[in-house]
Amino acid sequence: MKKGFSGSLLAGCAGAALCAVFLAGPAFAADKTIKIGNVEPLSGPSASVGIQGKQAREMAVEEINAAGGIKSQGGAKLELVYADSKSDPTVGVTETERLINTEKVNLVTGCWNSAVTYPATQVAERYGIPFVVPVAVRDTITERGFKYVFRVAAKDSWWVRDQFRFLKDMQDETGVKLTKIAFLFENGDWGTGFAEKWREMAKKDGYEIVLDEPYPSTATDLTPVVTKLKSARPDIVMLVSNAADAILLTNTMAEMQLKPKVVLASGGGHADPKFLENTDQNALGIFDEVEWNTDVNKAGAKAANEKFKKKYGYDLTGESVDAYAAMYVIADALERAASTDPQKVRDALAATNLTAGPAMIVSYDGVQFDETGQNKNAGIVIIQVAEINGKPERVTVWPKSARRAGYTPAFPANK
Amino acid sequence: MTAVIQAALNGIMMGAMYGLTALGLTLIFGVMKVVNFAHGSLLMVGMFSAYWLIRLTGIHPYLALCIVPPILFVFGYYLQDVVIKPVFKAERQVREPLTVIIVTTGVWYVLDNLALMLFGAEYRTVRTAISNKSFALGEFIISVPKFSGFVAAMLTAAGLALFMRKTKTGMALRATSLDREAANLMGIDQYRVYNIAFGLGTAIAGIAGCVLIPFYYVYPSVGVVFDIRAFIIVVLGGLGSIPGALLGGLVIGLIESVFSQFMASTWTEAIIYAIFLVILFVKPSGFFGHKQDW
Amino acid sequence: MSRKQLDHTLLALAALVAFGLPLVVTSPTYLQILILLFFYAYLTTAWNLVGGFAGVLPLGHAVFVGIGAYTSSILTLQYGVSPWIGMLVGGLIAALVGVVIGLPTFRMRGAYFCLCTIAFAEGIRVMIENIDALGPLRINGPRGLLIPLKDASFWHYQFMSKEPYYYIILTLLILVLALTWFISRSKIGYYLAAGGEEPEAAAALGINVANCKLLSMALSCFLTALAGTFYAQLMLYFYPKGLMGLDLSFEIAFIALIGGRGAIAGPVIGALVLRPLNEFTRIYLSDMLPGLHLVIFGLILILVMLYKPQGLTAPLAALYDRLARKITVPGDAR
């Protein structure tokens, strides 16, 4: 056996020295700025939404700072600090800790992936730093009795509830009765969570579940799954997919000439701008559930979208709007707290009653958090992909009050 | 029943393509006796090459088949010559150069992450002239890109078999794979043979890349998904056996497609691993491999 | 002074520095980095018991980390058992699984063994991802397990600050290094060395190499599982792909290889060099160049295997030897 210890002593001292060098971490004097840490998936499978979230935040913070910053704190400007979660919960946890302990942020937002948000928010709770979740639907994020976690978007049980309300409303409106339902979902955290609730709601509403299939998001070939779907002959197909598999699934269904009466997706991959780019005509008729759509009937929505599109090259989506609104929620709370003390900021957040201002381009009417930190008013809209002026476009169809004027939804989309 | 047959048809086509991805691996495995952990990355390089070629020039995927593989042959040839050959030379005495395995893993890390740095992590698809097209065969639907892939796989396998049997270089490769020392004594430059084998293996990965791009998406770590499957197929089919790789691929493709009609597709993955382990224990030389190879 | 005295003094000094570091380094982020450093050093040293001593290349060891984490966490979450006890149970289960895997695979040669360990590890991981509950045990499939915040206490294996975690993993690391040293000097160590280099001769002498290999495997898996529990209690969250994936398995093996498998402190050196590199490239460079740290890792791996396949320990040990010889009094043979 080799004499390992000798070499290790040398290396051990070298290692200690290495650590000491990096001890002298960055020490910059902070001006009158309030730091907001953001854990987002800037690389990895959800990179495109992560980057959109980053851009939306930047747009909001620019506007807030240009309008004078946080006036109750001497015009303090907001500063955004980012950390890449890579959609990996472990990295998310480590990065949240780093943002809190090293970067000394005053608030944290993030993380888009529920699987990352779930443990990362526990870190913030542990350290008593307010954590605002713009988008991340897993119910349990706000159901643990935490005091420092606030969520702007709706939770997934509400998403599911609204999906089934939509189905019922449309069947009432058109007089068409649909009975057989199929569930197809990515086998990660998000998909499995939705599927659980789907089963409950389907049972309640009296549907017959003809297929209940998880599939691996990275599958090389979805033809077997589509074949299975075809032989199950469902009326309604409910989907939860990430970007790449949403594209693969839609194209494979077109290839296999499978045209169910109703296809209802749950946002995420289907809402990604790349989806329509890569599926084009194959996506016509699909219904999707999102927090927001470009044609939503709210003041300032169109202008904000134009501004975003001009700056970054694509439309706002539900996720980016939530991130945008979250910044205004934070600014509003900081304004009322008149301090950066975490406890005071936390209390100000809990008392939020935001019903006016640039944040109100969201599809619902105000942000108010209940005792669990959940935004009571959070809602969703259902869109349908339809051909408008020769191009596939997403058109808001539900709730009826939000429906784009002059558009009659094709329900069922196929016979 | 229709569903099962439809699934089987799909499974055969996908299986042939899996076999194609494994073909290059079995060649390298057979001739050089090493596990090339970088094979998945080579496939990724093939896919990205095909992607960029088609995206930037819009040429038909069949034409890409003429351009990408030769480029990849050169890439593989020199990769082996520069990076891996020195390790071989250093481990001349050792029958199983484990260090080569480790070096190929290093190559894998480097290639995959270079791709990540250069192209970003997003999934990319490109619409080609044959994407999404299908034709009917009775009551069954056959996807055009997959069928082309099936044909390409068969042709490549046949072409490779002919090459190995009829050409001088092919015979040199076979000689080296059967007995390295004897081949050396006969005047065959072992290292040149290795370079050619590696280059060929990479070129085949290039063919596989061209064949997959019309219907699958590419991203820096796409190789990992196919890599593990390729290893399973190679062991299943037998080291260095071309028909073995095809047959192994077909088996895996069929299991994936047909079994998922009866259970969640997430379980078929576990079943494939289970079968892999059974083969490793019961008949490690696979369908057509030689017993003394390991 | 004599060579032996020098060695012992430096060893004591290193231990002193290691134990005293938290008094100087107070930032929780840097403590976390050090904790993860020791964590990897521990894992790779445990791996070394099989990968270095038994002469094979297991590439699926992360599965045992997962077994440890899942066992102790399920026992804590559902039955209120202290994670310390759960840790030991996890270790035993891991050792058992390790032996079951080792029995058929140790017969195989080189690359087949590698593939086998990968297949086992991935197979188990995929199975866990597909199972929501196994009878009364909640496994939660791909979503992983979250350990809720409890009052900080030793019994709960949860602490408010990083220091206790630091000392726990440091102690574990020292224990596993001592164990490795002890084994290398024992009969088993010699048997394994003989079995690795001259299997036929060893068999002729009546040494049951297979049993020795199995023993080292059982030990290695037991120890690896302990780290799984530590990780679960440190992060309070884990999921199959992150904890049992090939990424971790490969990283463990390659840190040991770069450091020098077979050497007692080889893995530690590998960890000391590679982990800070990993962390700092990720923190400071991943914004602009994602994946750079893995490119560097891969390049180091290739270069080390090309020029110093025995690992970095050999040249470092030689360097130390030369320096030591200059300052010590010759005479006391080692």
Side-chain angles (χ1 to χ4, degrees):
Chain A
M1 291 297 132
K2 317 249 173 24
K3 305 176 185 118
F5 272 152
S6 343
S8 86
L9 295 180
L10 203 61
C13 302
L18 197 75
C19 294
V21 164
F22 285 103
L23 268 187
F28 33 76
D31 243 318
K32 242 317 179 171
T33 55
I34 302 176
K35 278 169 116 172
I36 304 177
N38 303 281
V39 181
E40 282 282 284
L42 298 173
S43 69
S46 309
S48 77
V49 257
I51 293 177
Q52 287 170 48
K54 178 167 186 245
Q55 292 162 338
R57 286 170 171 78
E58 280 168 0
M59 189 164 104
V61 165
E62 250 172 56
E63 291 171 2
I64 296 171
N65 285 343
I70 308 296
K71 304 187 185 60
S72 72
Q73 300 192 38
K77 301 269 187 270
L78 296 180
E79 184 191 329
L80 293 169
V81 183
Y82 290 96
D84 180 10
S85 72
K86 304 192 214 282
S87 296
D88 181 339
T90 327
V91 177
V93 166
T94 320
E95 290 297 273
T96 310
E97 288 206 336
R98 183 177 69 83
L99 286 173
I100 293 177
N101 290 318
T102 311
E103 297 287 338
K104 303 254 186 281
V105 297
N106 302 103
L107 290 117
V108 186
T109 77
C111 315
W112 198 81
N113 306 95
S114 287
V116 179
T117 318
Y118 193 53
T121 40
Q122 185 165 258
V123 173
E125 180 77 9
R126 211 174 182 184
Y127 288 104
I129 299 286
F131 196 120
V132 176
V133 178
V135 183
V137 296
R138 190 161 165 189
D139 280 4
T140 41
I141 291 175
T142 46
E143 285 171 359
R144 294 170 285 178
F146 286 177
K147 297 262 148 276
Y148 283 84
V149 177
F150 299 90
R151 168 164 44 197
V152 175
K155 24 190 201 175
D156 63 11
S157 49
W158 294 359
W159 281 63
V160 172
R161 175 202 66 195
D162 284 352
Q163 278 177 321
F164 279 86
R165 272 196 198 150
F166 160 76
L167 288 171
K168 185 161 184 316
D169 283 354
M170 292 310 295
Q171 288 178 70
D172 288 342
E173 192 183 315
T174 57
V176 173
K177 182 113 177 65
L178 302 168
T179 50
K180 301 211 246 183
I181 202 166
F183 303 143
L184 200 53
F185 52 98
E186 61 101 30
N187 76 332
D189 195 37
W190 176 39
T192 335
F194 258 66
E196 241 174 43
K197 312 241 163 34
W198 278 345
R199 285 173 208 125
E200 280 168 30
M201 293 293 312
K203 218 158 71 151
K204 217 159 63 110
D205 282 4
Y207 290 101
E208 182 195 337
I209 303 176
V210 294
L211 188 68
D212 187 353
E213 271 286 287
Y215 69 87
S217 200
T218 50
T220 47
D221 179 32
L222 288 172
T223 318
V225 162
V226 173
T227 312
K228 216 168 167 183
L229 193 60
K230 210 170 170 189
S231 53
R233 288 184 218 289
D235 297 323
I236 305 170
V237 177
M238 312 257 302
L239 298 173
V240 174
S241 303
N242 292 308
D245 36 303
I247 296 170
L248 193 60
L249 201 52
T250 308
N251 289 338
T252 310
M253 279 169 62
E255 214 172 77
M256 300 294 294
Q257 293 164 18
L258 173 62
K259 297 193 189 21
K261 299 207 177 105
V262 173
V263 176
L264 178 54
S266 315
H270 286 90
D272 192 302
K274 281 217 163 356
F275 175 69
L276 276 186
E277 233 179 81
N278 285 293
T279 50
D280 205 41
Q281 301 282 328
N282 294 336
L284 288 178
I286 291 184
F287 291 99
D288 192 15
E289 184 183 25
V290 280
E291 297 99 330
W292 190 87
N293 197 35
T294 49
D295 58 2
V296 78
N297 193 5
K298 294 302 268 312
K302 228 189 165 85
N305 191 34
E306 289 304 319
K307 181 176 177 194
F308 188 83
K309 197 161 180 174
K310 194 145 159 250
K311 235 180 150 188
Y312 298 112
Y314 38 67
D315 290 319
L316 283 166
T317 60
E319 281 90 8
S320 23
V321 166
D322 277 333
Y324 180 83
M327 290 295 123
Y328 276 97
V329 167
I330 291 177
D332 170 71
L334 284 170
E335 196 70 66
R336 282 178 290 112
S339 130
T340 51
D341 172 62
Q343 180 72 39
K344 294 211 173 89
V345 175
R346 185 256 147 211
D347 290 339
L349 278 168
T352 301
N353 187 358
L354 191 63
T355 50
M360 284 303 111
I361 61 173
V362 292
S363 65
Y364 43 87
D365 292 324
V367 177
Q368 284 143 356
F369 298 111
D370 65 17
E371 344 59 66
T372 66
Q374 171 66 47
N375 176 11
K376 292 193 264 212
N377 306 325
I380 52 94
V381 293
I382 306 270
I383 61 97
Q384 182 170 37
V385 179
E387 189 154 13
I388 308 283
N389 301 331
K391 275 184 9 167
E393 210 178 287
R394 298 164 68 87
V395 183
T396 310
V397 300
W398 188 90
K400 202 146 177 218
S401 54
R403 188 179 300 176
R404 187 191 292 195
Y407 180 76
T408 320
F411 189 97
N414 305 293
K415 294 289 162 272
Chain B
M1 197 51 204
T2 2
V4 177
I5 300 181
Q6 172 75 66
L9 284 172
N10 183 66
I12 292 175
M13 293 190 294
M14 280 309 290
M17 285 189 281
Y18 288 147
L20 184 61
T21 62
L23 214 51
L25 190 63
T26 204
L27 184 64
I28 295 175
F29 222 169
V31 173
M32 297 162 58
K33 304 277 181 280
V34 281
V35 180
N36 175 21
F37 271 115
H39 190 74
S41 306
L42 297 173
L43 182 67
M44 180 268 298
V45 172
M47 283 178 83
F48 260 113
S49 312
Y51 170 84
W52 283 116
L53 187 62
I54 298 179
R55 177 104 185 241
L56 294 173
T57 65
I59 67 171
H60 195 282
Y62 294 163
L63 275 179
L65 270 173
C66 304
I67 302 182
V68 173
I71 299 179
L72 255 68
F73 176 86
V74 173
F75 179 69
Y77 187 98
Y78 283 106
L79 185 65
Q80 152 71 13
D81 200 44
V82 172
V83 178
I84 304 178
K85 184 170 74 176
V87 186
F88 263 119
K89 288 206 155 144
E91 298 243 315
R92 217 181 332 241
Q93 324 300 349
V94 186
R95 197 179 173 267
E96 317 148 11
L98 277 183
T99 324
V100 180
I101 297 180
I102 301 167
V103 170
T104 57
T105 317
V107 172
W108 161 27
Y109 276 24
V110 172
L111 284 177
D112 270 17
N113 288 285
L114 269 179
L116 182 62
M117 282 178 9
L118 291 172
F119 305 130
E122 19 164 321
Y123 297 161
R124 298 162 185 267
T125 51
V126 63
R127 314 210 73 210
T128 70
I130 56 174
S131 295
N132 290 166
K133 297 222 178 5
S134 55
F135 61 87
L137 195 66
E139 56 182 313
F140 304 112
I141 299 179
I142 308 282
S143 142
V144 169
K146 295 208 179 115
F147 186 71
S148 323
F150 173 78
V151 170
M154 291 296 166
L155 287 176
T156 310
L160 189 63
L162 270 171
F163 171 81
M164 296 292 268
R165 226 155 269 281
K166 302 286 191 215
T167 69
K168 233 166 118 189
T169 326
M171 289 196 273
L173 258 68
R174 273 200 302 142
T176 314
S177 79
L178 285 171
D179 192 331
R180 193 164 31 183
E181 278 87 25
N184 246 326
L185 288 170
M186 300 297 282
I188 295 176
D189 180 352
Q190 169 190 13
Y191 297 114
R192 208 176 102 87
V193 162
Y194 285 178
N195 289 356
I196 294 178
F198 208 90
L200 257 183
T202 312
I204 297 176
I207 298 179
C210 291
V211 143
L212 288 170
I213 265 295
F215 67 92
Y216 197 64
Y217 43 91
V218 64
Y219 54 102
S221 30
V222 71
V224 180
V225 170
F226 289 99
D227 207 18
I228 308 266
R229 232 171 232 132
F231 282 126
I232 296 178
I233 292 171
V234 164
V235 171
L236 202 56
L239 273 179
S241 161
I242 294 169
L246 264 189
L247 190 59
L250 285 173
V251 168
I252 297 291
L254 276 171
I255 291 178
E256 236 184 33
S257 246
V258 175
F259 277 40
S260 50
Q261 299 305 304
F262 304 108
M263 63 184 74
S265 46
T266 42
W267 273 110
T268 52
E269 221 185 321
I271 292 190
I272 291 178
Y273 279 114
I275 293 186
F276 182 42
L277 285 168
V278 167
I279 297 280
L280 275 177
F281 292 146
V282 168
K283 191 168 196 290
S285 43
F287 291 145
F288 298 121
H290 303 289
K291 221 167 181 161
Q292 80 275 22
D293 263 352
W294 279 105
Chain C
M1 67 170 117
S2 75
R3 175 60 186 271
K4 223 174 183 170
Q5 285 175 325
L6 177 67
D7 283 349
H8 288 174
T9 320
L10 282 180
L11 213 61
L13 207 64
L16 206 68
V17 169
F19 275 97
L21 220 48
L23 297 172
V24 183
V25 181
T26 46
S27 155
T29 313
Y30 290 125
L31 273 178
Q32 175 88 337
I33 292 180
L34 285 171
I35 291 174
L36 286 177
L37 178 73
F38 292 153
F39 174 72
Y40 274 90
Y42 174 92
L43 279 177
T44 52
T45 309
W47 180 92
N48 199 23
L49 286 173
V50 184
F53 287 21
V56 287
L57 205 62
L59 290 178
H61 242 52
V63 75
F64 301 110
V65 181
I67 290 179
Y70 269 102
T71 312
S72 71
S73 302
I74 291 178
L75 285 175
T76 299
L77 286 170
Q78 294 186 251
Y79 300 103
V81 175
S82 162
W84 291 103
I85 299 181
M87 176 178 86
L88 293 172
V89 176
L92 288 172
I93 296 181
L96 197 64
V97 175
V99 169
V100 165
I101 294 181
L103 271 169
T105 53
F106 278 139
R107 283 191 271 127
M108 304 176 180
R109 309 281 215 107
Y112 268 109
F113 178 83
C114 295
L115 287 179
C116 232
T117 52
I118 293 178
F120 264 116
E122 284 292 279
I124 294 180
R125 178 185 66 79
V126 170
M127 276 200 310
I128 291 192
E129 277 187 354
N130 273 305
I131 301 177
D132 225 21
L134 199 62
L137 307 168
R138 281 216 65 79
I139 298 190
N140 242 2
R143 289 174 288 179
L145 295 176
L146 183 87
I147 299 172
L149 291 173
K150 284 205 174 77
D151 289 324
S153 88
F154 187 79
W155 193 241
H156 284 150
Y157 209 145
Q158 264 192 49
F159 311 100
M160 269 319 291
S161 65
K162 297 282 176 194
E163 278 84 358
Y165 289 110
Y166 178 92
Y167 285 117
I168 292 177
I169 191 68
L170 181 58
T171 314
L172 282 173
L173 178 61
I174 293 182
L175 279 174
V176 81
L177 280 172
L179 190 68
T180 309
W181 181 82
F182 186 71
I183 289 185
S184 76
R185 280 179 149 53
S186 77
K187 255 196 331 202
I188 302 181
Y190 288 125
Y191 288 172
L192 283 172
E197 278 151 39
E198 296 290 330
E200 290 86 9
L205 283 172
I207 298 174
N208 194 337
V209 179
N211 279 0
C212 291
K213 281 190 180 174
L214 282 174
L215 188 62
S216 65
M217 181 76 166
L219 211 53
S220 170
C221 297
F222 177 84
L223 292 167
T224 306
L226 298 188
T229 305
F230 174 79
Y231 185 87
Q233 297 301 128
L234 174 71
M235 293 293 190
L236 293 181
Y237 176 74
F238 60 90
Y239 67 117
K241 200 139 209 172
L243 201 58
M244 300 167 78
L246 287 181
D247 285 341
L248 182 60
S249 292
F250 276 68
E251 196 170 353
I252 295 174
F254 295 135
I255 290 181
L257 285 163
I258 292 178
R261 66 173 176 152
I264 297 170
V268 176
I269 293 179
L272 279 171
V273 170
L274 293 166
R275 283 300 306 173
L277 191 66
N278 192 330
E279 290 291 320
F280 290 113
T281 42
R282 188 172 59 77
I283 293 179
Y284 293 112
L285 292 177
S286 71
D287 256 9
M288 307 170 274
L289 295 169
L292 181 65
H293 72 277
L294 282 176
V295 174
I296 296 180
F297 192 32
L299 286 172
I300 293 181
L301 191 61
I302 296 176
L303 289 170
V304 169
M305 284 300 122
L306 278 176
Y307 297 113
K308 286 262 172 282
Q310 298 304 316
L312 295 173
T313 317
L316 279 176
L319 182 65
Y320 175 73
D321 240 10
R322 279 211 307 273
L323 289 172
R325 221 166 286 155
K326 294 212 177 105
I327 22 179
T328 58
V329 173
D332 269 329
R334 287 205 100 228

